[in-house]
């Protein structure tokens, strides 16, 4: 007699007008269905059963690493029919909890209240009061306030349509009772579907009391049918994450222009400027500043580091007291030690940059190890790719690389070496010495510029 969570996710989602199954559209960077599955598992259920249909292969592949039981509903004949598909997995003493793959923000606390209400009878529902209840099933109660039945919008009389208490779809019931109520369900209604909502009248007919609970906020029960609703829910979700972060002590210069698609851990007095997008797992140390319109994915940034505007950082580890950007691009497997500076139009990939080193302007550093306090001049390029393979560049501590240098890898520059500006370095440069490759400068005395014909 455990908890079995049933997630209905077989619907087509035609109104999304998408090749991607609706439940895979992301909210806060995570597929709608994954939000629901995560909430389901937080209730410690015995099993989570996902009823799938449309785009089943894609849905299963995307959620491959999550251990749910997949139950196919090959024809979508209605919500009642969908729940019938999981009956073989339900025992009489189980509690069945029905969730929806396209209603992503239901909270575990609300579901716990629903389960507690189910414990007091055979059936409980989450209902909500809506300003505009159009389209939803309505909760019909008797004069004493007891739930009698649910009537679908399309089957409702004008009087019933005026009811503002709606069926959210979320319900929990005892397995044996649910099986009984679902047996012999009919589809003689406006949509020709087998309605899960018809079980309510059956329960009432048997003398069962139907309890109801309300969500904390209505956004919990809002479903996604089209991209307008998806965008509205995304904004609400982002704003609630922003509010939580601000209450935890993060300054958001404009909480309405902040997007977190994953998880952020932030130290004290972190400041995040307008238009920042954080994805995956991002960790920011105390007093980190992130400038406007920077995009950061899966990165950790040390205390007192400033990331100026318009940086793109992905899978990088940045130490304390660094200065990054504006307009810097840090690509995967980049490690930057404390106090380093990475300036504008500098791209760093699969490289480690030692403490206090500076690459301030217009450079590409790939597959490179740079020591401490190295100065890399403007326009330096590591030529790491020979068209077939990638090769490494190594630059020792306190080396000075003159501007517009090409380092043709594999190549090493020794500690304390100086490379003259404009050099193409193809062999190792010894430590402590000046190395340069440069054609001699000449001046041609009395030389005249060519003149356009016919102008003499
Ligand atoms: C349903 C409820 C309605 C409620 C509303 C809340 C019924 C009959 N009606 O209506 O009272 O107000 O949700 O949003 O239950 N699904 C399947 N297989 C099917 C049919 C649906 O898996 O055969 C899934 C859909 O993917 C969707 C959910 O069930 O996630 C709800 O189905 P939908 O057709 O949207 O129901 P509504 O008509 O909105
Ligand atoms: Ca719906």
């Amino acid at each position: 007699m455990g908890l079995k969570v049933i997630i209905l996710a077989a619907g087509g989602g035609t109104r999304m007008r998408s090749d991607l199954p609706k439940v895979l559209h992301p909210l806060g960077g995570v597929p709608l269905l994954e939000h629901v599955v995560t909430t389901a598992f937080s209730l410690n259920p015995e099993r989570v059963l996902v009823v799938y249909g449309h785009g089943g292969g894609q849905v299963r592949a995307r959620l491959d690493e999550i251990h749910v039981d997949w139950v196919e509903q090959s024809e979508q004949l209605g919500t009642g029919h969908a729940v019938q598909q999981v009956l073989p997995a339900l025992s009489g003493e189980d509690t069945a909890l029905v969730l929806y793959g396209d209603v992503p923000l239901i909270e575990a606390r609300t579901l716990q209240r629903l389960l507690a209400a189910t414990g007091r009878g055979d059936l409980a529902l989450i209902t909500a009061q809506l300003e505009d209840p159009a389209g939803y099933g309505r909760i019909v109660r008797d004069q004493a306030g007891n739930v009698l039945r649910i009537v679908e919008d399309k089957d409702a009389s004008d009087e019933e349509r005026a009811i503002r208490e709606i069926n959210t779809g979320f319900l929990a019931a005892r397995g044996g009772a649910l099986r009984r109520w679902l047996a012999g369900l009919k589809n003689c209604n406006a949509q020709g579907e087998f309605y899960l909502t018809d079980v309510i009248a059956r329960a009432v007919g048997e003398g069962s009391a139907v309890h109801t609970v309300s969500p904390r906020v209505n956004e919990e029960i809002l479903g996604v049918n089209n991209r307008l609703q998806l965008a509205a829910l995304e904004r609400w979700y982002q704003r609630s994450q922003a509010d939580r972060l601000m209450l935890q002590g993060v300054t958001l210069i404009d909480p309405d222009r902040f997007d977190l698609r994953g998880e952020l851990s932030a130290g004290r007095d972190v400041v995040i400027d307008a238009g920042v997008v954080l994805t995956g797992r991002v960790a920011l140390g105390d007093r980190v500043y992130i400038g406007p319109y920077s995009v950061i994915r899966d990165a950790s940034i040390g205390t007192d580091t400033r990331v100026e505007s318009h940086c793109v950082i992905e899978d990088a580890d940045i130490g304390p007291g660094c200065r990054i950007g504006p307009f810097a691009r840090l690509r995967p497997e980049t490690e930057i030690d404390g106090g380093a500076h990475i300036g504008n139009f500098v791209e760093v990939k699969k490289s480690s940059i030692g403490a206090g080193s500076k690459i301030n302007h217009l450079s590409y550093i790939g597959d490179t190890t740079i020591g401490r306090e190295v100065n890399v001049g403007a326009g330096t390029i590591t030529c790491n790719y020979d068209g077939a393979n990638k090769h490494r560049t190594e630059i020792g501590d306190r080396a000075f690389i003159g501007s517009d240098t090409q380092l043709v890898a594999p190549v090493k520059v020794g500690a304390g070496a100086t490379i003259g500006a404009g050099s193409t370095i193809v062999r190792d440069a010894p430590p402590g010495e000046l190395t340069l490759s440069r054609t001699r400068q000449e001046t041609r005395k009395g030389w005249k510029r060519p003149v356009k014909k016919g102008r003499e």
Side-chain angles (χ1 to χ4, degrees):
M1 38 172 263
L3 172 64
K4 304 254 164 86
V5 182
I6 302 159
I7 301 177
L8 303 190
T14 351
R15 283 168 287 170
M16 294 298 281
R17 297 175 178 274
S18 176
D19 293 332
L20 189 67
K22 175 166 76 175
V23 293
L24 293 187
H25 279 260
L27 179 94
V30 171
L32 295 173
L33 179 57
E34 199 179 321
H35 283 273
V36 182
V37 169
T38 304
T39 306
F41 277 113
S42 77
L43 301 168
N44 293 317
E46 214 169 66
R47 284 170 79 179
V48 174
L49 302 127
V50 179
V51 179
Y52 72 97
H54 280 278
Q58 265 190 80
V59 175
R60 293 185 61 161
R62 181 66 176 79
L63 275 82
D64 187 40
E65 279 162 26
I66 305 175
H67 296 285
V68 300
D69 293 296
W70 297 96
V71 179
E72 187 174 5
Q73 184 195 22
S74 45
E75 259 188 304
Q76 280 75 58
L77 302 179
T79 49
H81 180 259
V83 173
Q84 279 171 339
Q85 309 309 303
V86 304
L87 287 178
L90 281 188
S91 81
E93 294 304 305
D94 282 337
T95 300
L97 169 63
V98 177
L99 310 182
Y100 296 82
D102 57 357
V103 185
L105 297 182
I106 188 70
E107 292 174 7
R109 281 176 294 178
T110 303
L111 295 174
Q112 254 136 11
R113 283 192 283 121
L114 178 69
L115 292 171
T118 317
R120 289 184 264 122
D122 284 327
L123 176 66
L125 308 170
I126 301 179
T127 72
Q129 299 285 340
L130 293 188
E131 286 296 312
D132 176 14
Y136 287 92
R138 309 295 206 287
I139 308 296
V140 180
R141 293 182 184 261
D142 67 14
Q143 247 136 34
N146 300 306
V147 174
L148 292 178
R149 61 196 170 88
I150 293 176
V151 59
E152 288 305 300
D153 190 72
K154 290 196 173 101
D155 301 295
S157 64
D158 288 346
E159 203 181 325
E160 287 164 338
R161 281 206 183 96
I163 300 171
R164 298 237 302 259
E165 186 185 9
I166 61 99
N167 172 35
T168 65
F170 292 96
L171 67 79
R174 202 66 58 219
L178 190 61
R179 182 189 307 277
R180 207 164 59 240
W181 301 327
L182 281 172
L185 205 61
K186 296 208 173 58
N187 66 347
C188 31
N189 51 51
Q191 303 183 76
E193 286 181 6
F194 297 95
Y195 290 166
L196 176 59
T197 45
D198 284 352
V199 304
I200 283 80
R202 291 184 171 224
V204 172
E206 283 185 4
S208 293
V210 177
H211 297 282
T212 61
V213 302
S214 309
R216 183 181 64 84
V217 287
N218 281 346
E219 282 76 8
E220 280 186 74
I221 58 95
L222 293 183
V224 172
N225 293 309
N226 60 42
R227 295 180 199 243
L228 288 178
Q229 292 170 339
L230 179 61
L233 217 51
E234 176 78 30
R235 284 305 101 206
W236 184 83
Y237 179 72
Q238 289 300 343
R239 182 62 209 227
S240 52
Q241 292 193 125
D243 291 353
R244 174 174 50 77
L245 288 167
M246 291 187 290
L247 290 173
Q248 287 169 4
V250 175
T251 294
L252 297 177
I253 299 297
D254 184 352
D256 288 329
R257 285 184 292 162
F258 166 72
D259 286 84
L260 173 59
R261 300 174 192 152
E263 281 169 45
L264 170 65
S265 81
R268 291 180 76 78
D269 295 307
V270 163
V271 176
I272 298 179
D273 219 318
V276 168
V277 179
L278 305 179
T279 304
R281 284 172 184 276
V282 175
L284 306 177
D286 295 346
R287 297 173 300 280
V288 163
Y289 168 77
I290 308 293
Y293 304 105
S294 285
V295 176
I296 302 176
R297 174 196 294 270
D298 294 318
S300 75
I301 300 180
T303 52
D304 295 304
T305 285
R306 287 183 68 85
V307 174
E308 301 296 345
S309 71
H310 297 91
C311 290
V312 178
I313 298 174
E314 186 182 354
D315 187 13
D317 219 327
I318 303 172
C322 292
R323 246 176 43 203
I324 312 293
F327 300 102
R329 178 162 185 220
L330 305 184
R331 291 173 51 203
E333 295 180 57
T334 292
E335 278 177 43
I336 296 179
D337 288 348
H341 293 182
I342 307 293
N344 39 223
F345 308 107
V346 173
E347 174 179 346
V348 183
K349 185 217 78 171
K350 210 172 183 174
S351 294
S352 61
I353 314 295
S357 289
K358 297 186 173 71
I359 311 168
N360 275 332
H361 329 268
L362 300 156
S363 288
Y364 172 60
I365 303 296
D367 304 291
T368 300
T369 306
I370 293 183
R372 306 170 62 88
E373 288 158 56
V374 169
N375 197 306
V376 176
T380 296
I381 307 288
T382 54
C383 310
N384 58 331
Y385 186 51
D386 59 15
N389 297 298
K390 299 277 168 70
H391 302 281
R392 292 204 66 86
T393 300
E394 285 176 40
I395 302 176
D397 297 345
R398 284 173 292 281
F400 179 99
I401 313 293
S403 294
D404 193 28
T405 292
Q406 300 94 55
L407 297 159
V408 182
V411 72
K412 289 183 188 160
V413 175
T418 301
I419 305 295
S423 296
T424 301
I425 300 297
V426 295
R427 287 187 303 276
D428 292 355
E433 308 287 353
L434 169 66
T435 300
L436 73 169
S437 76
R438 201 181 274 171
T439 49
R440 198 169 289 281
Q441 180 168 325
E442 65 176 314
T443 301
R444 297 194 183 175
K445 282 262 167 75
W447 177 83
K448 291 272 183 309
R449 285 187 191 170
V451 175
K452 204 161 191 168
K453 280 201 177 105
R455 283 242 185 117
E456 293 96 324

